[in-house]
Amino acid sequence: MATNLFDDFNPISSKQWKQKIQFELDGADYNQTVIWNSPEDIQVKPFYHIDEFTKATNVNTQASDFKICQNIFVFDVEKSIERALNTLERGAESLRFTIQNDKTDVQKLLENLPLENKIVYFNFNFISIDFVKKLDTISIQKKAQFYCNFDPIGQLAKDGNWFTTSEKNNFETLDLLFKNTKNLNFLSVDLGLYQNSGANITQQIAYSLAHANEYLNRFYAETKSIVFQISVGTNYFFEIAKLRALRMLFDLIAKEYNPEIKCHFLVTPTKRNKTIYDYNVNMLRTTTECMSAILGGADVIANLPYDALYHKDNEFGDRIARNQLLILKHESYFDKVNNPSDGSYYIESLTTQLAEKSLTLFKEIEANGGFLKLLNEGTIKKKIQESANKEQELFDSKKEILLGTNKYPNKEDRMKHDLELFPFVKIKPRKTLITPIIEKRLAEKMEQERLEQE
């Protein structure tokens, strides 16, 4: 029989721990010194104890099943085929194609790729029933699982306009897609838009759930799953809890429509905290963000190359990003244990608090007419902008740190001649139905000032 090595030690209560901390603080105020308040108005304590633990959250996170995804922007079909074959040979287990228009020869793109039992995602800048019917046929022939990430509400939020279609509206087009295909998953929610625009975690969860609820209201009978395209930030434990709370709340809401509807998490590191100066630090940021994604229960992770802000897609950046995930999976053994967050009082507490606050906000949205109504009125954008402004103030005052940018910058760093892409907010004057939600990085203003001085 194994000997319990801890029988010789008396249990210590949370009260005793707190008294010891207060003694060590030597008169400093406990609440002001060691408790901090998050942007979500969650008080983070210095320790969490079993005697304050109430009930574990019931979240099933299959970390052993997470897949490594490669993003491919399809401009030249031949080069995209070559890149897809290369990345699949080098460890990618899934692909996400971004296709700009319905002139792309999708049959040629996919016919020679080994896609059997693979998950393949398609992001579109358009909706075409005929194009999607081709994909449906190919998915059956290839025995692959295709997700067409159509998100008309996300398109409206990001662009200010709906997709252009011949049907009366985008929902009618989606209805026709459901009726004319057999093997595809359609619906997607772009949570990354809210994260990259500056929404706090409570808003990200609540807005994406209310966003998804608009689709469930219309297509609950046809829907098999909804893909959440999620961006994760650098707040390690909060991001783990974000994914867990989102999955828990989606299951709670979806079962009111159809218990068989599942959520599918396609996760990417955020761009909001990435920088063009001291760009190698981006690799450290994306590594911890991918760790949060795995532990939080991502189904598939597409890493962000360290130079994605200012370089066009390139083999070196892709390989480094992919290898980060391969190391986490095969050398750090992040895929060996399911539900890895179970038993952490801190993560359980964060999950519960985020879920409660997000559910409250979700109910407020529904009580005020639903997500689409508030989006059209500008309320969603206004609330996100308020959160973004608060975070920007913290960054500008150096209370929120990005190493190499607003703290310990390398004054000798030069980037002006290395920019292949424009890394800042692009202004595109046009008529829109609503004012779009704009993604913006924290370091943009500071970086523009440095570039002007080079």
Side-chain angles (χ1 to χ4, degrees):
M1 179 181 288
T3 304
N4 190 338
L5 300 177
F6 297 100
D7 283 346
D8 294 337
F9 298 93
N10 293 323
I12 301 176
S13 68
S14 59
K15 183 178 180 181
Q16 290 172 295
W17 276 116
K18 186 174 180 180
Q19 288 173 340
K20 178 65 175 173
I21 293 170
Q22 287 176 317
F23 175 78
E24 297 292 341
L25 286 174
D26 195 25
D29 185 88
Y30 176 88
N31 290 329
Q32 292 184 0
T33 307
V34 294
I35 292 179
W36 62 276
N37 213 44
S38 78
E40 297 75 25
D41 198 30
I42 291 175
Q43 289 194 332
V44 180
K45 300 184 291 187
F47 69 94
Y48 290 78
H49 195 281
I50 192 171
D51 65 13
E52 297 175 333
F53 186 64
T54 52
K55 183 182 177 184
T57 52
N58 183 24
V59 186
N60 187 22
T61 53
Q62 298 294 311
S64 62
D65 293 335
F66 91 87
K67 299 289 189 293
I68 298 170
C69 183
Q70 178 66 52
N71 292 323
I72 298 177
F73 182 87
V74 181
F75 179 74
D76 183 307
V77 171
E78 294 286 354
K79 288 182 179 178
S80 297
I81 294 169
E82 181 183 346
R83 190 173 170 207
L85 287 169
N86 181 267
T87 56
L88 289 171
E89 287 174 2
R90 293 188 171 204
E93 300 159 310
S94 175
L95 300 169
R96 175 165 56 178
F97 293 104
T98 298
I99 299 177
Q100 283 196 298
N101 59 66
D102 59 1
K103 302 294 188 290
T104 301
D105 190 344
V106 71
Q107 180 70 42
K108 182 179 178 181
L109 176 67
L110 302 174
E111 63 183 352
N112 292 321
L113 298 183
L115 299 180
E116 186 171 344
N117 298 322
K118 291 264 191 316
I119 297 174
V120 185
Y121 304 92
F122 297 90
N123 284 5
F124 304 97
N125 294 333
F126 63 94
I127 297 183
S128 166
I129 295 173
D130 291 338
F131 192 90
V132 173
K133 285 165 74 174
K134 292 178 190 175
L135 286 175
D136 188 45
T137 302
I138 295 168
S139 72
I140 295 170
Q141 293 170 348
K142 290 280 189 180
K143 299 178 181 177
Q145 189 173 3
F146 284 5
Y147 288 90
C148 296
N149 294 331
F150 286 120
D151 183 11
I153 297 173
Q155 169 72 9
L156 176 65
K158 187 173 185 175
D159 184 71
N161 291 312
W162 297 95
F163 287 115
T164 302
T165 63
S166 57
E167 289 76 37
K168 185 172 66 174
N169 58 52
N170 285 183
F171 297 122
E172 187 177 304
T173 309
L174 284 177
D175 189 48
L176 289 172
L177 287 174
F178 279 115
K179 290 175 180 175
N180 284 278
T181 57
K182 300 175 182 176
N183 203 50
L184 299 180
N185 295 280
F186 288 117
L187 297 178
S188 173
V189 170
D190 186 8
L191 185 151
L193 171 63
Y194 310 132
Q195 201 282 341
N196 282 297
S197 302
N200 64 43
I201 291 177
T202 300
Q203 290 173 327
Q204 292 170 46
I205 297 171
Y207 292 167
S208 59
L209 288 171
H211 185 151
N213 196 47
E214 295 286 351
Y215 294 133
L216 291 174
N217 267 319
R218 293 169 172 84
F219 304 111
Y220 66 89
E222 300 91 342
T223 302
K224 293 177 281 188
S225 68
I226 294 182
V227 175
F228 285 84
Q229 299 192 78
I230 301 169
S231 290
V232 287
T234 197
N235 195 344
Y236 187 72
F237 294 105
F238 272 72
E239 293 294 340
I240 295 172
K242 177 176 86 178
L243 268 63
R244 299 175 85 243
L246 178 61
R247 190 178 293 275
M248 182 171 68
L249 291 178
F250 178 84
D251 290 344
L252 182 69
I253 294 166
K255 76 178 183 181
E256 298 299 321
Y257 293 95
N258 179 355
E260 300 301 316
I261 300 175
K262 304 298 181 188
C263 58
H264 184 89
F265 289 177
L266 172 54
V267 183
T268 303
T270 181
K271 289 183 179 179
R272 187 158 170 79
N273 64 354
K274 303 304 180 291
T275 57
I276 61 173
Y277 288 98
D278 215 347
Y279 47 75
N280 288 320
V281 180
N282 290 336
M283 280 187 273
L284 304 180
R285 296 179 182 123
T286 55
T287 298
T288 65
E289 287 158 3
C290 287
M291 290 163 66
S292 292
I294 298 167
L295 299 178
D299 295 290
V300 177
I301 303 173
N303 195 12
L304 184 74
Y306 74 98
D307 59 348
L309 296 178
Y310 62 92
H311 273 169
K312 295 176 182 176
D313 290 343
N314 62 89
E315 196 276 335
F316 183 77
D318 281 350
R319 180 162 58 86
I320 294 297
R322 189 169 57 249
N323 286 351
Q324 288 172 261
L325 286 168
L326 288 168
I327 288 170
L328 290 176
K329 189 165 192 174
H330 298 297
E331 296 184 28
S332 303
Y333 308 115
F334 268 63
D335 66 333
K336 299 303 179 189
V337 178
N338 286 328
N339 303 311
S341 301
D342 283 6
S344 166
Y345 303 138
Y346 179 35
I347 295 175
E348 291 281 10
S349 174
L350 290 179
T351 302
T352 300
Q353 291 182 77
L354 286 174
E356 289 173 350
K357 289 178 178 291
S358 301
L359 186 59
T360 299
L361 180 54
F362 170 81
K363 289 178 178 178
E364 288 177 10
I365 294 168
E366 293 303 306
N368 284 289
F371 183 80
L372 199 50
K373 178 176 181 288
L374 296 185
L375 180 66
N376 280 311
E377 291 174 353
T379 304
I380 301 297
K381 176 178 171 58
K382 178 185 173 186
K383 294 295 184 183
I384 292 176
Q385 193 60 54
E386 288 172 359
S387 295
N389 291 343
K390 288 177 183 177
E391 188 179 18
Q392 191 68 53
E393 287 172 13
L394 291 173
F395 174 79
D396 293 343
S397 62
K398 299 184 180 181
K399 292 177 182 176
E400 182 168 330
I401 302 298
L402 292 181
L403 286 176
T405 299
N406 68 341
K407 193 163 188 177
Y408 308 125
N410 178 5
K411 299 295 185 182
E412 305 303 314
D413 216 354
R414 297 290 181 269
M415 288 299 298
K416 183 176 285 187
H417 300 295
D418 203 22
L419 301 181
E420 298 175 357
L421 301 172
F422 186 70
F424 308 115
V425 171
K426 298 179 180 69
I427 305 299
K428 183 183 176 184
R430 62 197 186 281
K431 287 185 177 181
T432 58
L433 297 172
I434 66 170
T435 305
I437 297 170
I438 305 298
E439 298 181 12
K440 186 179 180 182
R441 295 181 297 110
L442 289 167
E444 288 199 15
K445 182 182 176 183
M446 190 171 289
E447 288 172 348
Q448 287 172 313
E449 291 171 353
R450 285 187 66 176
L451 285 169
E452 288 173 2
Q453 294 170 7
E454 286 187 18

mmCIF file of all heavy atoms in Angstrom, residues 216 219-224 250-251 253-262:
data_model
loop_
_atom_site.group_PDB
_atom_site.id
_atom_site.type_symbol
_atom_site.label_atom_id
_atom_site.label_comp_id
_atom_site.label_asym_id
_atom_site.label_seq_id
_atom_site.Cartn_x
_atom_site.Cartn_y
_atom_site.Cartn_z
ATOM 1 N N LEU A 216 -28.917 30.320 -34.848
ATOM 2 C CA LEU A 216 -29.699 29.226 -34.266
ATOM 3 C C LEU A 216 -31.196 29.514 -34.376
ATOM 4 O O LEU A 216 -31.989 28.600 -34.619
ATOM 5 C CB LEU A 216 -29.300 29.014 -32.806
ATOM 6 C CG LEU A 216 -27.895 28.447 -32.561
ATOM 7 C CD1 LEU A 216 -27.581 28.439 -31.067
ATOM 8 C CD2 LEU A 216 -27.754 27.050 -33.133
ATOM 9 N N PHE A 219 -31.805 28.689 -38.197
ATOM 10 C CA PHE A 219 -31.377 27.442 -38.837
ATOM 11 C C PHE A 219 -31.125 26.298 -37.853
ATOM 12 O O PHE A 219 -30.291 25.434 -38.112
ATOM 13 C CB PHE A 219 -30.090 27.695 -39.644
ATOM 14 C CG PHE A 219 -30.188 28.785 -40.661
ATOM 15 C CD1 PHE A 219 -29.500 29.982 -40.491
ATOM 16 C CD2 PHE A 219 -30.988 28.641 -41.785
ATOM 17 C CE1 PHE A 219 -29.586 30.996 -41.422
ATOM 18 C CE2 PHE A 219 -31.089 29.655 -42.734
ATOM 19 C CZ PHE A 219 -30.393 30.832 -42.550
ATOM 20 N N TYR A 220 -31.813 26.299 -36.722
ATOM 21 C CA TYR A 220 -31.522 25.276 -35.714
ATOM 22 C C TYR A 220 -31.783 23.860 -36.220
ATOM 23 O O TYR A 220 -31.104 22.907 -35.820
ATOM 24 C CB TYR A 220 -32.319 25.535 -34.423
ATOM 25 C CG TYR A 220 -33.818 25.400 -34.568
ATOM 26 C CD1 TYR A 220 -34.439 24.172 -34.381
ATOM 27 C CD2 TYR A 220 -34.607 26.493 -34.880
ATOM 28 C CE1 TYR A 220 -35.817 24.045 -34.510
ATOM 29 C CE2 TYR A 220 -35.974 26.378 -35.015
ATOM 30 C CZ TYR A 220 -36.583 25.153 -34.832
ATOM 31 O OH TYR A 220 -37.935 25.021 -34.972
ATOM 32 N N ALA A 221 -32.753 23.703 -37.121
ATOM 33 C CA ALA A 221 -33.090 22.355 -37.608
ATOM 34 C C ALA A 221 -32.022 21.825 -38.558
ATOM 35 O O ALA A 221 -31.760 20.621 -38.609
ATOM 36 C CB ALA A 221 -34.443 22.369 -38.307
ATOM 37 N N GLU A 222 -31.372 22.732 -39.322
ATOM 38 C CA GLU A 222 -30.392 22.308 -40.322
ATOM 39 C C GLU A 222 -28.962 22.249 -39.775
ATOM 40 O O GLU A 222 -28.109 21.561 -40.325
ATOM 41 C CB GLU A 222 -30.403 23.282 -41.514
ATOM 42 C CG GLU A 222 -31.736 23.388 -42.236
ATOM 43 C CD GLU A 222 -32.615 24.499 -41.676
ATOM 44 O OE1 GLU A 222 -32.348 24.956 -40.538
ATOM 45 O OE2 GLU A 222 -33.568 24.892 -42.357
ATOM 46 N N THR A 223 -28.704 22.968 -38.700
ATOM 47 C CA THR A 223 -27.329 23.142 -38.234
ATOM 48 C C THR A 223 -26.803 21.903 -37.519
ATOM 49 O O THR A 223 -27.433 21.378 -36.606
ATOM 50 C CB THR A 223 -27.238 24.357 -37.285
ATOM 51 O OG1 THR A 223 -27.700 25.519 -37.974
ATOM 52 C CG2 THR A 223 -25.817 24.570 -36.808
ATOM 53 N N LYS A 224 -25.615 21.465 -37.942
ATOM 54 C CA LYS A 224 -24.921 20.369 -37.257
ATOM 55 C C LYS A 224 -23.879 20.901 -36.278
ATOM 56 O O LYS A 224 -23.688 20.359 -35.190
ATOM 57 C CB LYS A 224 -24.253 19.443 -38.283
ATOM 58 C CG LYS A 224 -25.241 18.677 -39.160
ATOM 59 C CD LYS A 224 -24.527 17.833 -40.201
ATOM 60 C CE LYS A 224 -24.070 18.665 -41.371
ATOM 61 N NZ LYS A 224 -23.536 17.852 -42.493
ATOM 62 N N PHE A 250 -22.270 27.785 -24.744
ATOM 63 C CA PHE A 250 -22.869 27.419 -26.031
ATOM 64 C C PHE A 250 -23.692 26.142 -25.888
ATOM 65 O O PHE A 250 -24.804 26.050 -26.418
ATOM 66 C CB PHE A 250 -21.793 27.217 -27.104
ATOM 67 C CG PHE A 250 -22.375 26.799 -28.430
ATOM 68 C CD1 PHE A 250 -22.862 27.745 -29.318
ATOM 69 C CD2 PHE A 250 -22.493 25.457 -28.774
ATOM 70 C CE1 PHE A 250 -23.440 27.371 -30.521
ATOM 71 C CE2 PHE A 250 -23.065 25.066 -29.973
ATOM 72 C CZ PHE A 250 -23.541 26.026 -30.848
ATOM 73 N N ASP A 251 -23.140 25.153 -25.199
ATOM 74 C CA ASP A 251 -23.890 23.905 -24.995
ATOM 75 C C ASP A 251 -25.199 24.167 -24.259
ATOM 76 O O ASP A 251 -26.229 23.555 -24.563
ATOM 77 C CB ASP A 251 -23.029 22.898 -24.214
ATOM 78 C CG ASP A 251 -21.868 22.358 -25.040
ATOM 79 O OD1 ASP A 251 -21.898 22.514 -26.279
ATOM 80 O OD2 ASP A 251 -20.925 21.789 -24.451
ATOM 81 N N ILE A 253 -26.998 26.960 -24.326
ATOM 82 C CA ILE A 253 -27.953 27.641 -25.214
ATOM 83 C C ILE A 253 -28.420 26.719 -26.333
ATOM 84 O O ILE A 253 -29.610 26.644 -26.650
ATOM 85 C CB ILE A 253 -27.298 28.919 -25.793
ATOM 86 C CG1 ILE A 253 -27.042 29.935 -24.674
ATOM 87 C CG2 ILE A 253 -28.177 29.535 -26.883
ATOM 88 C CD1 ILE A 253 -26.110 31.063 -25.060
ATOM 89 N N ALA A 254 -27.481 25.974 -26.938
ATOM 90 C CA ALA A 254 -27.808 25.142 -28.096
ATOM 91 C C ALA A 254 -28.796 24.033 -27.760
ATOM 92 O O ALA A 254 -29.633 23.672 -28.582
ATOM 93 C CB ALA A 254 -26.536 24.547 -28.691
ATOM 94 N N LYS A 255 -28.709 23.508 -26.549
ATOM 95 C CA LYS A 255 -29.610 22.403 -26.196
ATOM 96 C C LYS A 255 -31.069 22.843 -26.138
ATOM 97 O O LYS A 255 -31.973 22.013 -26.212
ATOM 98 C CB LYS A 255 -29.188 21.755 -24.881
ATOM 99 C CG LYS A 255 -29.514 22.529 -23.621
ATOM 100 C CD LYS A 255 -29.095 21.751 -22.379
ATOM 101 C CE LYS A 255 -29.481 22.487 -21.106
ATOM 102 N NZ LYS A 255 -29.049 21.757 -19.889
ATOM 103 N N GLU A 256 -31.310 24.151 -26.026
ATOM 104 C CA GLU A 256 -32.676 24.663 -26.070
ATOM 105 C C GLU A 256 -33.251 24.569 -27.487
ATOM 106 O O GLU A 256 -34.459 24.587 -27.682
ATOM 107 C CB GLU A 256 -32.711 26.118 -25.595
ATOM 108 C CG GLU A 256 -32.274 26.325 -24.152
ATOM 109 C CD GLU A 256 -33.162 25.596 -23.157
ATOM 110 O OE1 GLU A 256 -34.398 25.584 -23.379
ATOM 111 O OE2 GLU A 256 -32.630 25.037 -22.180
ATOM 112 N N TYR A 257 -32.367 24.507 -28.480
ATOM 113 C CA TYR A 257 -32.787 24.369 -29.884
ATOM 114 C C TYR A 257 -32.708 22.910 -30.334
ATOM 115 O O TYR A 257 -33.677 22.342 -30.829
ATOM 116 C CB TYR A 257 -31.896 25.220 -30.789
ATOM 117 C CG TYR A 257 -32.038 26.705 -30.612
ATOM 118 C CD1 TYR A 257 -31.166 27.406 -29.778
ATOM 119 C CD2 TYR A 257 -33.029 27.412 -31.274
ATOM 120 C CE1 TYR A 257 -31.285 28.784 -29.620
ATOM 121 C CE2 TYR A 257 -33.157 28.793 -31.122
ATOM 122 C CZ TYR A 257 -32.277 29.467 -30.288
ATOM 123 O OH TYR A 257 -32.405 30.824 -30.131
ATOM 124 N N ASN A 258 -31.511 22.336 -30.176
ATOM 125 C CA ASN A 258 -31.239 20.978 -30.629
ATOM 126 C C ASN A 258 -29.994 20.474 -29.906
ATOM 127 O O ASN A 258 -28.892 20.976 -30.149
ATOM 128 C CB ASN A 258 -31.033 20.970 -32.145
ATOM 129 C CG ASN A 258 -30.730 19.576 -32.681
ATOM 130 O OD1 ASN A 258 -30.577 18.614 -31.932
ATOM 131 N ND2 ASN A 258 -30.624 19.469 -33.996
ATOM 132 N N PRO A 259 -30.144 19.486 -29.033
ATOM 133 C CA PRO A 259 -28.994 18.996 -28.250
ATOM 134 C C PRO A 259 -27.856 18.434 -29.098
ATOM 135 O O PRO A 259 -26.744 18.276 -28.606
ATOM 136 C CB PRO A 259 -29.609 17.887 -27.381
ATOM 137 C CG PRO A 259 -31.070 18.154 -27.361
ATOM 138 C CD PRO A 259 -31.391 18.794 -28.679
ATOM 139 N N GLU A 260 -28.128 18.172 -30.387
ATOM 140 C CA GLU A 260 -27.100 17.594 -31.257
ATOM 141 C C GLU A 260 -26.167 18.648 -31.858
ATOM 142 O O GLU A 260 -25.123 18.306 -32.421
ATOM 143 C CB GLU A 260 -27.772 16.807 -32.403
ATOM 144 C CG GLU A 260 -28.661 15.659 -31.936
ATOM 145 C CD GLU A 260 -27.891 14.632 -31.114
ATOM 146 O OE1 GLU A 260 -26.766 14.275 -31.532
ATOM 147 O OE2 GLU A 260 -28.396 14.221 -30.057
ATOM 148 N N ILE A 261 -26.523 19.915 -31.760
ATOM 149 C CA ILE A 261 -25.682 20.976 -32.335
ATOM 150 C C ILE A 261 -24.412 21.137 -31.495
ATOM 151 O O ILE A 261 -24.478 21.281 -30.277
ATOM 152 C CB ILE A 261 -26.439 22.308 -32.410
ATOM 153 C CG1 ILE A 261 -27.686 22.176 -33.287
ATOM 154 C CG2 ILE A 261 -25.535 23.422 -32.948
ATOM 155 C CD1 ILE A 261 -28.552 23.423 -33.300
ATOM 156 N N LYS A 262 -23.272 21.119 -32.177
ATOM 157 C CA LYS A 262 -21.989 21.217 -31.489
ATOM 158 C C LYS A 262 -21.276 22.518 -31.862
ATOM 159 O O LYS A 262 -21.532 23.112 -32.907
ATOM 160 C CB LYS A 262 -21.084 20.034 -31.862
ATOM 161 C CG LYS A 262 -21.707 18.666 -31.592
ATOM 162 C CD LYS A 262 -22.007 18.467 -30.113
ATOM 163 C CE LYS A 262 -22.615 17.094 -29.846
ATOM 164 N NZ LYS A 262 -23.076 16.963 -28.439
#
